[in-house]
Amino acid sequence: MAVSLREYRARIRSTESMKKITRAMELIAASRIIKAQQRAQQAAPYARELTRAVSAVATFSNVDHPLTREEENPKRAAVLVITSDRGLAGAYSSSVIKEAERLAERLRDEGKEIDWFLAGRKAEAYFKFRSRDFVESWTGFSDQPGYDVAAEIGKALIDAFLKEQGEEGDVDEVHVVYTRFRSMLVQEPTAIRLLPLEVVEGEEPPGDAELLPLYEFEPSPSEVLDGLLPQYVVSRIFYSLLQAAASELAARQKAMKAATDNADELIKKLTRIANQARQAGITQEISEIVGGVNALADAQAAAND
């Protein structure tokens, strides 16, 4: 069925409107990425010094703390999945969920059951659509996470980890799946084990010549760890949320740029087809006029004869 010139023009107008929307969303995401990166950089000094303090306590004391204690026979693991609240970010959320499913498969192969904790409406929708259970979810902050949200998530995970084995809701391990921001072009789904606690300092291990500062622990190393380790866990979660926010915005900018470029190509294609249809219409009208003139001329010649 042939498409009229009017319909082509309507399609061009609607595509131009869509292009304006995707272009605006691309610019908004680009401006927010800078803020997200700045927030991550501003949080880095606190996280670095807190990590050094925890490393010093762990190094210079032999305290057996509940958050660092390994279970001999772990049976259940908690997995926190950090996704976005909104779509239009390409494969950002689906990539995180796929990484979480791979982690869950590996944990099940080790004989562990999974308790799911979710951050972001996309993860929540994924589990609800498939009628799968999850313990708790947090939404409404994915592109601008706050420390209070990280503290709330950290408290829920620590409480579950500190329960005695066999008690309802207890877990023996805590894992976090999020997207690490490498660059504007590369965002990498990453899974880390958060508890039992493994102290991680920066992206690279410290050199042989690097020395930890000397600390005096008052009132005792055990009480210092009681205060520092929960803060360390929350800071790691906050870092993951900030990385995920920057990754989400970068993915959204990239997706919206691709959509804008595709709209440009579609507009050019439709304009070319519309011009061809208009030229074909003009040619048809000229042909009809010429044909009519020739028919009149033939009729007059016949009448004169």
Side-chain angles (χ1 to χ4, degrees):
M1 181 177 178
V3 179
S4 68
L5 181 60
R6 181 178 298 176
E7 290 174 338
Y8 280 125
R9 288 172 175 166
R11 289 184 185 180
I12 291 171
R13 286 194 298 271
S14 65
T15 306
E16 286 175 341
S17 298
M18 189 183 306
K19 176 186 169 183
K20 291 178 182 178
I21 294 172
T22 57
R23 177 61 178 163
M25 294 185 68
E26 177 189 348
L27 294 175
I28 291 171
S31 66
R32 288 182 175 177
I33 288 173
I34 298 173
K35 295 179 181 178
Q37 288 178 300
Q38 288 174 344
R39 292 187 69 196
Q41 291 170 356
Q42 290 167 359
Y46 170 78
R48 183 167 53 250
E49 292 306 316
L50 180 59
T51 301
R52 287 169 67 84
V54 171
S55 300
V57 178
T59 301
F60 297 117
S61 67
N62 296 319
V63 177
D64 181 23
H65 195 276
L67 293 181
T68 62
R69 189 179 303 139
E70 296 267 1
E71 287 288 344
E72 291 184 4
N73 185 25
K75 297 180 179 179
R76 184 175 292 273
V79 178
L80 171 65
V81 186
I82 302 175
T83 64
S84 66
D85 286 317
R86 298 184 294 124
L88 301 178
Y92 167 75
S93 291
S94 61
S95 297
V96 182
I97 292 172
K98 286 179 182 177
E99 182 66 26
E101 293 288 14
R102 285 193 289 268
L103 171 64
E105 183 178 355
R106 187 168 72 248
L107 292 173
R108 291 190 187 101
D109 289 342
E110 296 172 0
K112 300 167 187 172
E113 298 181 18
I114 310 297
D115 281 354
W116 295 98
F117 293 78
L118 312 176
R121 290 193 180 95
K122 287 298 178 180
E124 190 178 66
Y126 176 85
F127 276 76
K128 285 183 177 179
F129 181 77
R130 290 160 178 77
S131 300
R132 294 171 60 178
D133 294 331
F134 55 90
V135 178
E136 197 168 350
S137 66
W138 298 267
T139 60
F141 57 85
S142 68
D143 58 351
Q144 291 182 322
Y147 192 82
D148 55 338
V149 176
E152 184 180 342
I153 296 173
K155 183 178 184 305
L157 294 174
I158 290 172
D159 287 347
F161 182 77
L162 291 179
K163 290 181 179 179
E164 295 294 330
Q165 194 173 53
E167 188 178 350
E168 183 179 357
D170 81 288
V171 296
D172 303 315
E173 295 178 0
V174 175
H175 299 261
V176 179
V177 184
Y178 69 100
T179 305
R180 177 173 293 179
F181 182 83
R182 295 290 190 186
S183 68
M184 290 294 296
L185 298 177
V186 180
Q187 298 87 44
E188 179 183 302
T190 304
I192 62 171
R193 195 187 80 170
L194 189 63
L195 294 172
L197 194 140
E198 296 175 319
V199 177
V200 178
E201 182 167 1
E203 298 294 330
E204 301 293 336
D208 294 336
E210 183 176 351
L211 298 176
L212 291 171
L214 294 176
Y215 291 91
E216 291 185 3
F217 308 118
E218 293 183 1
S220 68
S222 177
E223 291 178 90
V224 171
L225 283 177
D226 286 340
L228 283 182
L229 290 184
Q231 290 186 46
Y232 175 77
V233 171
V234 172
S235 73
R236 291 288 291 168
I237 294 173
F238 186 49
Y239 170 81
S240 301
L241 292 174
L242 291 176
Q243 288 278 305
S247 299
E248 176 188 344
L249 292 168
R252 181 164 293 117
Q253 183 198 14
K254 187 162 57 176
M256 291 300 97
K257 186 180 186 307
T260 302
D261 293 343
N262 289 338
D264 266 333
E265 292 298 320
L266 183 57
I267 289 170
K268 290 177 183 177
K269 179 180 178 181
L270 290 173
T271 301
R272 184 170 61 251
I273 295 174
N275 288 338
Q276 291 173 350
R278 180 173 61 83
Q279 290 168 359
I282 293 172
T283 302
Q284 179 66 26
E285 290 176 2
I286 292 173
S287 298
E288 291 174 355
I289 292 172
V290 171
V293 170
N294 290 336
L296 286 174
D298 293 342
Q300 288 179 353
N304 291 333
D305 291 343

